[in-house]
Amino acid sequence: MKKTLIILSIGALFAACNKKTEQKTDTVAIEDGRAAEKSPGGATQFDINSIPVSNAEVGELPFFSFPKGLDFQNKPVQRSYDMLFFPLKGVMTPIEGKIWKTYVVNGKSNTEEWSLPYFLKSYDDAIAKVGGVKIFDGKVSQQELDRITPEAKYFGEEGSIDYWNEPVKVYVIRRPNGDDIYIQLYGNTATGAIQILQKAPFEQTISILKSDEIKKELDAKGKAVLHINFDTDKASLQPDGKTAVDEITKVLKSDSHLKLAINGYTDNSGNDAHNVQLSKDRATAVLNAIATSGIDKVRLSAEGFGSKNPIADNSSEEGKAQNRRVELVKR
C-alpha cells in the first residue's frame, strides 16, 4: 500500500510540474493587456525582429476593404506622414509614417444590427492571411494614458481609439524593406474604429531661405519665417541651422540700418511653460550666433512665444514641423 501511495504522489508531482510549465508558456506567448495594467512600464521592450517577415502582396494603404455590410462613419483621415501611439507590450509607443484611420459603422444598406465580433473577427482573419501577428490584446493602463495624453494631440479626431473604456487589439505586419504595417482596432456595442500606419521616413520639404529671399520677405511683409533646425528639445543649432544664421547675417550686413526682432516658436507638444522658455532660448541662440558674426546686439532682440500663433495644424507631424520656426520681424 505504501509503495502505491508513493507512486501516486510522484505522478501527481509530475502532473503539477507540467501544469505549471504549460501555464508559464501561455503567459509568455500571449501578450495580455491585463498584465500591462498591473505593472505599467515594467514590460520588456517590443522587438520587431521577433516577428516573422511577411512577403505577401498587400497593395497600398489602407490595404484592406471594409467587411461586407460595414462602412466608414465619416471621411477617413489619411496623411502621408504623421505619428500615432500604439500599445506595444502595454507601453504606448510613438510610431511615424503614413496613416489611415476611421470610425466603422453599419453601412446604410445593411439591415442587420451591428456585430462587434463580426467586425473584430473579419480584420483578425484578414490580417493573419497576409502574415500579420497580433502583438497586444487588452486594455492600456491608466498610467500609460496619463503619460502620453499631453503629446497625443490627435486624440478625439476621426478614427480615435477609446483606450479608456475598451480593450484594443494591435497587429503588426513585418515587411522585408522595413516599411512595417501597424494596425490597431477596437469596438463597442454600436461602432468600431481602426487605425493603420505604415512606417515611412520623414521627408523634409522646408528649404533654407537665402539672404535675398529673406530681404524680399522683410521688405514685402515686414517679417520672414525661417525653419531653423536645433537639436531635439535643446537650443543647440544644427549645421544647417548655422547656415540659416549666415543668411540672416548677410541681410543685416547689407543694410546697416536694419533692426530685427527674433521670435521663436514651438509646436504644441509638451508643457506650455517649457515651450515658451525653449523658444526663447532658441531665439537667443540665433541672436548670439548672429552677433558672433560681427552684428551689434543693439540691432537685435530675442523673444519666445512657445506654441502661440501657430501657422499650421498641430494635429499632424507635418503641421508641427511648420510651427517650429523662427520669425524675423523688422523693428
Side-chain angles (χ1 to χ4, degrees):
M1 180 65 69
K2 286 184 179 180
K3 188 174 183 180
T4 303
L5 287 173
I6 290 171
I7 292 172
L8 288 173
S9 298
I10 292 173
L13 179 61
F14 275 117
C17 289
N18 287 337
K19 187 174 182 180
K20 286 182 180 179
T21 303
E22 290 171 0
Q23 289 174 340
K24 186 174 182 181
T25 302
D26 287 343
T27 303
V28 172
I30 299 173
E31 185 56 51
D32 192 336
R34 291 170 295 179
E37 281 199 277
K38 291 178 181 177
S39 55
T44 56
Q45 187 175 2
F46 172 72
D47 182 10
I48 188 64
N49 295 313
S50 66
I51 305 298
V53 173
S54 168
N55 291 296
E57 293 290 337
V58 293
E60 298 294 326
L61 189 72
F63 310 115
F64 304 97
S65 66
F66 288 109
K68 184 179 179 180
L70 304 186
D71 205 347
F72 55 80
Q73 185 175 31
N74 301 302
K75 182 180 178 181
V77 172
Q78 183 164 354
R79 300 186 180 113
S80 59
Y81 184 84
D82 207 339
M83 180 276 288
L84 296 176
F85 281 98
F86 287 80
L88 307 183
K89 286 190 172 290
V91 178
M92 293 295 275
T93 306
I95 303 176
E96 300 173 349
K98 298 182 289 185
I99 72 157
W100 183 92
K101 54 184 181 176
T102 188
Y103 290 121
V104 182
V105 295
N106 269 355
K108 293 180 180 179
S109 60
N110 190 352
T111 58
E112 295 185 6
E113 294 292 323
W114 165 264
S115 169
L116 178 58
Y118 171 68
F119 166 66
L120 297 176
K121 179 66 174 173
S122 295
Y123 278 106
D124 190 86
D125 286 355
I127 295 168
K129 284 181 179 178
V130 292
V133 177
K134 186 189 295 181
I135 57 174
F136 185 83
D137 188 351
K139 290 195 70 174
V140 179
S141 73
Q142 186 62 48
Q143 181 177 339
E144 275 299 288
L145 294 175
D146 291 343
R147 179 179 66 83
I148 60 97
T149 295
E151 188 176 350
K153 302 297 183 182
Y154 64 87
F155 278 1
E157 71 177 17
E158 182 69 20
S160 290
I161 303 291
D162 185 6
Y163 300 107
W164 289 264
N165 298 304
E166 304 292 345
V168 59
K169 298 180 185 293
V170 182
Y171 305 81
V172 63
I173 305 171
R174 186 182 174 196
R175 306 299 294 163
N177 295 326
D179 52 344
D180 307 318
I181 300 166
Y182 289 82
I183 303 164
Q184 58 184 335
L185 62 154
Y186 96 101
N188 53 36
T189 57
T191 185
I194 181 168
Q195 298 183 348
I196 303 175
L197 180 148
Q198 184 171 31
K199 290 189 70 175
F202 175 71
E203 294 183 11
Q204 180 58 267
T205 58
I206 298 172
S207 59
I208 297 172
L209 289 178
K210 298 297 183 182
S211 59
D212 56 340
E213 295 172 317
I214 295 173
K215 188 176 187 310
K216 184 178 179 180
E217 290 287 305
L218 288 171
D219 290 341
K221 303 176 183 178
K223 72 175 184 179
V225 177
L226 284 78
H227 294 87
I228 299 176
N229 289 326
F230 297 83
D231 292 338
T232 302
D233 206 35
K234 296 179 181 178
S236 307
L237 284 163
Q238 292 187 355
D240 56 349
K242 294 176 182 178
T243 301
V245 167
D246 291 341
E247 296 300 318
I248 300 170
T249 303
K250 290 178 185 178
V251 176
L252 287 161
K253 286 184 176 180
S254 69
D255 183 354
S256 60
H257 298 291
L258 179 62
K259 296 181 180 180
L260 292 176
I262 304 168
N263 298 333
Y265 294 88
T266 67
D267 59 36
N268 66 345
S269 301
N271 179 272
D272 287 342
H274 173 75
N275 286 340
V276 169
Q277 187 60 53
L278 177 62
S279 61
K280 184 172 184 178
D281 290 345
R282 288 178 169 178
T284 302
V286 172
L287 184 153
N288 290 334
I290 294 171
T292 301
S293 300
I295 302 298
D296 193 336
K297 284 188 177 182
V298 174
R299 299 171 60 190
L300 306 169
S301 65
E303 191 55 76
F305 296 91
S307 61
K308 291 181 180 178
N309 307 318
I311 59 174
D313 187 353
N314 271 309
S315 65
S316 72
E317 290 301 310
E318 290 174 327
K320 287 182 178 181
Q322 291 284 340
N323 289 328
R324 295 190 293 268
R325 68 195 189 279
V326 170
E327 292 188 359
L328 306 177
V329 182
K330 291 179 74 172
R331 290 165 48 193

